[in-house]
Amino acid sequence: MLSIKVPRRFVQQPTSRRQKRFRVYAAVFVALFTFYYFLSKPIDNLAFSFDRHEAYMNDRANVDGFIAKGSYDWRKAPFHNTIESYIPLPTGKPQKLPPVQFRFLEETSSQKSLRERRRVAVRNEFKRSWDSYKIAAWTKDELKPVSNQGYDTFGGWGATLVDALDTLWIMGLKKEFYEAVEAIARIDFGKSDDANISVFETTIRYLGGLLSAYDLSHEKVLLDKAIQLGEMLYRAFDTSNNLPLDRLAIEPAKKPRGQVIFSDSSICFAGVGSLTMEFVRLAQITQNPKYYDAVARVTALFDRAQNTTRIPGLFPTWMNAYQEDLSYDRSFTLGAMADSSYEYFPKTFALLGGQEPVYEKLYRDAAAMIDKHMLFRPMLPDSEPGEDLLICGDVHANDLESIKLDPEMQHLTCFVGGFFALAGRLFKNEHHVDLGAKLTEGCIWAYKSMPTGIMPEIFDVVACDSRSSCPWNQTKYEEEVLRRASSKHDGDFEAAFKELGIPKGFSAIRDKRYLLRPEAIESVFVLYRITGHEEYQEHAWDMFTSIVKHTSTPFANGQLLDVTDQLEDQEPEDKMESFWLAETLKYFYLVFSPPDMISLDDWVLNTEAHPFRRPKWTRSN
Ligand SMILES: *[C@@H]1O[C@H](CO)[C@@H](O)[C@H](O)[C@H]1NC(C)=O
Ligand SMILES: *[C@@H]1O[C@H](CO)[C@@H](O)[C@H](O)[C@H]1NC(C)=O
Ligand SMILES: *[C@@H]1O[C@H](CO)[C@@H](O)[C@H](O)[C@H]1NC(C)=O
């Protein structure tokens, strides 16, 4: 608690005029400071007082029982492909892992006031979208930001409500947080308007959101909901070999059934591997080993199969889960369909307190091949030195002899900067921290290159053969641009360049949209916390102002159709996914928050930016 004491000698001794004047100044100062303090209090106050939260529990004891369970108790649903014995959750002493965050020094008052002003601007932007959601789309999955109405996209349980819950807490929006908890207590996970649901999306957005908000607030009803939903999602593992399904059919999962369900013969890598953190955290909190067992089996398969793929070490975009075959697909990416499964290797390692070395092995062997075959330096005009800049492309390969790089980058792939940097800290690998910084620089460059200041969803560049020397070659560039243009233009480079509508250095922009995605600011945030370099805050602010300028609607923020079109009257699309509030604005907010707010030494964030509490090493445990 704040306490300002006026030194005794100013109050007790006979006062001169000078001293009197000083007392007036001091009083004014105290008044102003107190005023400012109370104004800014909700922002600085990460954790609400425990008393308040106890009172809440007492007030609403009735949210337990029926409401928490919903119309169907998933704990009673059948599970046919019974598991003989569970792989046990590691319960030993967490390891002492290397510190992730930079040791920040005390900031100056001018640094602080700038940072705070920016933080408030982010919070206001969040509040605008949230208030519209509350008025026009309450308990719906999404708000339509142009027509200002709600609609359902992810099971109809209120995806935005659950996904944004921990952001409310982190931003200190208490009243809104408890209103949301009350609405969440009434969500009925017992049924859905959709016949089947995406196991992946439901896990990362809803289960991740509930577990994280529980980790932050200890609000019991959130855990009850997480268990109900976790029990439903656990039925996705009720397959011939207990590997998870891509989609779970809700009603059939409640009934006994005659025949065995086989796991998918074609499922993307992300669909199988990015349930791990959520199920590990659910197992840790409930101490129920079956949730850990479910994902530990997936990990064991990845471990067995890692050197059987066409590029041993890497995992292909698609796999046959039924035959446990990861060798048929020839395409490899860190973008859509694969991203978060890689992301979860180092993060699960941290979440388990370093007690499961297989996650380090999976990361190490994959990272070596990503570094070797997928990372490249783009060829840039001489005016743009690019030695500190890397891009992560896709590769196609029959075998190790026929690896072909496709120098295409997705916004989704921008998470790799933070991925390498975080893993570099956890596994004490400075080279990987350096790769992380350069990859983040690649995304910052792509933002700055566009007329709107926002990176497109998918773009292409020309890859250099070498990372150390990369001179501009106009002939090569023109060939590449002509190859990408839809018409040959009779070899007229200028015409092809114009058709593609690209800034110099880019060879194509396959998808010009910006979907309010978080991955670039995610890496900027991680790199800021890891290196302490202030320029990341400047980059973050540039990104934030560009995004707000071009995506704002009267009610919230919408996806942008064309980031190369600087016309300010370009109307955003009528679509705002829940990750805008769950991830994008949370990362912006955290970049401008004191670095101990969601410290990466205490928390590890799932792929939807939901922080889970990391186990703490102590001398005694
Ligand atoms: C999911 O439901 C849709 C209809 O809502 C159906 O067309 C599709 O086949 C279902 N998929 C699975 C895997 O059950
Ligand atoms: C993969 O590695 C395991 C041990 O790590 C080894 O036994 C196996 O032969 C390897 N398989 C291939 C195809 O290289
Ligand atoms: C520039 O690129 C062209 C076409 O790819 C190639 O033939 C030429 O050798 C390159 N020039 C230099 C100096 O590398």
Side-chain angles (χ1 to χ4, degrees):
M1 203 43 216
L2 176 85
S3 78
I4 292 181
K5 286 202 183 109
V6 179
R8 183 174 281 251
R9 62 196 164 91
F10 290 122
V11 246
Q12 285 195 337
Q13 281 163 21
T15 50
S16 69
R17 266 170 77 148
R18 213 161 130 215
Q19 282 172 324
K20 265 187 197 150
R21 201 176 324 137
F22 187 90
R23 278 167 62 180
V24 171
Y25 285 163
V28 168
F29 173 79
V30 169
L32 281 176
F33 192 88
T34 312
F35 181 67
Y36 172 79
Y37 176 78
F38 282 107
L39 261 188
S40 63
K41 201 171 168 232
I43 302 175
D44 282 319
N45 203 353
L46 171 61
F48 304 156
S49 93
F50 203 72
D51 305 345
R52 166 69 213 242
H53 142 221
E54 287 292 293
Y56 171 82
M57 296 293 289
N58 294 337
D59 287 346
R60 292 170 183 77
N62 68 336
V63 297
D64 281 312
F66 173 76
I67 292 174
K69 278 206 308 286
S71 59
Y72 178 75
D73 188 351
W74 280 102
R75 289 172 299 187
K76 305 209 168 74
F79 194 93
H80 300 271
N81 297 278
T82 347
I83 286 157
E84 300 280 307
S85 79
Y86 293 137
I87 302 171
L89 174 72
T91 50
K93 180 179 156 141
Q95 277 186 31
K96 186 179 183 187
L97 298 178
V100 171
Q101 291 215 155
F102 177 75
R103 280 170 190 268
F104 286 85
L105 299 173
E106 192 75 30
E107 61 192 343
T108 66
S109 63
S110 69
Q111 283 171 329
K112 179 172 179 181
S113 78
L114 177 63
R115 182 181 60 62
E116 284 295 312
R117 255 185 289 138
R118 290 171 168 178
R119 178 151 73 136
V120 170
V122 175
R123 200 169 84 134
N124 289 344
E125 197 60 22
F126 175 93
K127 194 70 175 23
R128 220 168 60 85
S129 288
W130 180 258
D131 287 346
S132 298
Y133 173 74
K134 200 158 77 186
I135 292 165
W138 193 236
T139 72
K140 294 284 182 188
D141 285 343
E142 285 174 26
L143 168 76
K144 288 187 172 208
V146 177
S147 57
N148 198 30
Q149 46 185 308
Y151 76 129
D152 287 329
T153 46
F154 287 112
W157 297 305
T160 295
L161 184 65
V162 179
D163 221 6
L165 186 62
D166 58 6
T167 313
L168 291 170
W169 179 276
I170 288 167
M171 290 189 177
L173 297 164
K174 287 189 207 197
K175 184 168 110 347
E176 290 79 359
F177 177 82
Y178 286 112
E179 273 168 10
V181 170
E182 240 174 272
I184 286 167
R186 289 177 170 73
I187 293 177
D188 188 0
F189 286 118
K191 59 181 175 21
S192 171
D193 297 336
D194 296 344
N196 56 62
I197 52 151
S198 160
V199 174
F200 165 76
E201 298 286 359
T202 309
T203 301
I204 65 166
R205 298 191 200 217
Y206 285 102
L207 185 57
L210 291 168
L211 289 170
S212 166
Y214 175 73
D215 253 352
L216 288 160
S217 70
H218 299 111
E219 208 51 59
K220 184 173 173 296
V221 70
L222 298 175
L223 179 57
D224 293 341
K225 288 289 168 185
I227 291 170
Q228 280 299 323
L229 183 59
E231 285 289 327
M232 177 210 292
L233 290 165
Y234 184 66
R235 269 60 195 179
F237 294 86
D238 192 6
T239 59
S240 48
N241 56 2
N242 296 116
L243 290 178
L245 294 167
D246 181 43
R247 301 196 71 89
L248 178 69
I250 303 284
E251 290 308 315
K254 297 177 183 172
K255 300 183 186 87
R257 55 172 187 250
Q259 85 256 45
V260 177
I261 302 256
F262 295 108
S263 40
D264 297 292
S265 56
S266 180
I267 181 169
C268 67
F269 178 49
V272 183
S274 11
L275 317 172
T276 309
M277 286 182 72
E278 295 77 7
F279 276 81
V280 165
R281 191 71 196 122
L282 185 60
Q284 288 175 327
I285 293 173
T286 60
Q287 288 296 306
N288 187 335
K290 76 178 188 185
Y291 304 126
Y292 179 75
D293 170 89
V295 288
R297 281 167 201 277
V298 173
T299 302
L301 167 63
F302 289 168
D303 183 28
R304 288 197 301 277
Q306 189 167 22
N307 66 357
T308 68
T309 69
R310 284 172 191 263
I311 306 181
L314 293 179
F315 295 91
T317 316
W318 295 93
M319 57 182 274
N320 183 327
Y322 166 56
Q323 292 184 327
E324 307 193 0
D325 177 6
L326 282 80
S327 70
Y328 75 88
D329 187 13
R330 297 171 161 79
S331 62
F332 298 82
T333 183
L334 266 285
M337 307 291 169
D339 43 14
S340 38
S341 286
Y342 287 108
E343 177 187 348
Y344 277 14
F345 296 155
K347 287 185 168 181
T348 308
F349 182 83
L351 185 58
L352 286 166
Q355 295 180 79
E356 210 15 284
V358 68
Y359 292 100
E360 180 172 2
K361 176 258 183 190
L362 289 167
Y363 168 75
R364 197 186 51 232
D365 292 356
M369 296 312 250
I370 296 168
D371 185 13
K372 189 164 176 195
H373 298 294
M374 303 177 88
L375 307 189
F376 66 91
R377 191 172 147 186
M379 186 177 80
L380 300 185
D382 295 333
S383 56
E384 297 185 60
E387 60 266 22
D388 291 331
L389 202 149
L390 285 176
I391 298 281
C392 180
D394 296 345
V395 294
H396 303 276
N398 254 328
D399 50 41
L400 275 176
E401 271 66 58
S402 63
I403 297 177
K404 199 172 169 318
L405 175 72
D406 178 5
E408 182 167 274
M409 175 85 183
Q410 307 172 18
H411 196 289
L412 282 166
T413 309
C414 278
F415 87 93
V416 288
F419 164 74
F420 267 105
L422 174 69
R425 278 282 180 270
L426 288 170
F427 303 129
K428 282 193 187 292
N429 185 330
E430 277 309 306
H431 172 58
H432 286 190
V433 175
D434 183 52
L435 290 177
K438 289 179 171 163
L439 286 159
T440 304
E441 220 50 55
C443 293
I444 293 169
W445 166 78
Y447 267 71
K448 287 197 193 304
S449 302
M450 294 296 143
T452 49
I454 309 172
M455 176 178 156
E457 177 75 354
I458 306 174
F459 69 82
D460 294 83
V461 285
V462 181
C464 286
D465 296 329
S466 154
R467 287 187 203 170
S468 52
S469 149
C470 187
W472 178 257
N473 179 337
Q474 183 70 21
T475 318
K476 192 171 173 185
Y477 181 62
E478 292 189 6
E479 282 172 3
E480 209 45 45
V481 168
L482 279 162
R483 199 171 66 74
R484 301 270 181 180
S486 63
S487 125
K488 290 298 126 208
H489 296 288
D490 293 327
D492 181 348
F493 162 72
E494 290 299 334
F497 187 72
K498 213 165 153 221
E499 177 214 304
L500 292 172
I502 46 177
K504 196 169 168 192
F506 290 75
S507 60
I509 303 180
R510 200 152 70 72
D511 188 339
K512 294 187 172 177
R513 295 175 304 160
Y514 171 63
L515 307 181
L516 302 173
R517 286 199 193 283
E519 295 76 18
I521 186 58
E522 169 180 345
S523 284
V524 168
F525 159 72
V526 174
L527 266 291
Y528 174 63
R529 289 294 183 84
I530 282 179
T531 66
H533 294 167
E534 269 176 55
E535 72 247 22
Y536 288 115
Q537 289 181 319
E538 298 307 314
H539 294 310
W541 184 246
D542 288 345
M543 288 176 178
F544 177 73
T545 50
S546 301
I547 291 171
V548 168
K549 179 170 169 194
H550 293 283
T551 65
S552 290
T553 72
F555 307 102
N557 300 76
Q559 301 180 348
L560 203 60
L561 273 174
D562 186 354
V563 297
T564 67
D565 178 1
Q566 70 268 59
L567 292 179
E568 271 167 45
D569 57 1
Q570 184 186 172
E571 187 175 74
E573 285 191 280
D574 203 6
K575 174 94 177 150
M576 180 183 93
E577 285 219 37
S578 62
F579 53 66
W580 168 245
L581 298 180
E583 300 189 69
T584 314
L585 288 175
K586 182 189 285 147
Y587 283 124
F588 276 119
Y589 185 81
L590 289 175
V591 171
F592 301 122
S593 294
D596 58 352
M597 181 174 280
I598 310 294
S599 163
L600 297 178
D601 291 312
D602 301 327
W603 300 89
V604 57
L605 284 78
N606 90 337
T607 193
E608 191 75 3
H610 296 306
F612 297 161
R613 203 178 282 279
R614 286 176 56 181
K616 255 215 149 19
W617 176 88
T618 57
R619 216 167 282 283
S620 57
N621 69 6

